[in-house]
Amino acid sequence: MMFVSFFTILFVSVIATEASNGLTCEQEKALVMPCSDFVTKKTVEPSTLCCKGLNQIISLTPEEKSSACTCLKEAASHIPNLDKDRINHLPKACKLNLDYPISNDFDCTLIL
């Protein structure tokens, strides 16, 4: 019994460590999904959940941000009625600082 418990704890520790090293593309999409109403002009301001998710993406390492950029650009190409001005204004609307524009034209490798 003690032997099984030790390996269970070890396994959970390894999984938790791997998960904290970055986000999957699906997790990144889930973080910014609450922003969809703002960037499609359904709401006047981004929601608190949107801004929290965006802040979490902005807080990633440069390598993780570059990966998130690629993921989210691809995901955005499948969302109809996106307003490019609103997408670019999103960090400011959330009172967050981002050193590069959010656009489909942006080269995600420049984040590195």
Side-chain angles (χ1 to χ4, degrees), residues 32 34-47 50-51 54 58 76 79-96 98 100-104:
V32 296
C35 301
S36 63
D37 284 348
F38 177 73
V39 299
T40 57
K41 291 187 169 182
K42 292 179 184 172
T43 60
V44 178
E45 294 182 6
S47 68
C50 166
C51 294
L54 184 61
I58 290 172
I79 300 173
N81 303 320
L82 286 178
D83 184 287
K84 292 179 183 184
D85 291 332
R86 285 221 176 173
I87 292 171
N88 206 13
H89 182 70
L90 187 57
K92 186 175 181 179
C94 287
K95 297 177 179 69
L96 298 170
L98 189 61
Y100 46 86
I102 299 176
S103 79
N104 284 340

Side-chain angles (χ1 to χ4, degrees), residues 14-34:
V14 168
I15 296 297
T17 302
E18 287 177 359
S20 68
N21 287 339
L23 301 170
T24 66
C25 185
E26 292 304 314
Q27 291 169 319
E28 293 160 354
K29 288 190 257 185
L31 284 172
V32 296
M33 183 57 83

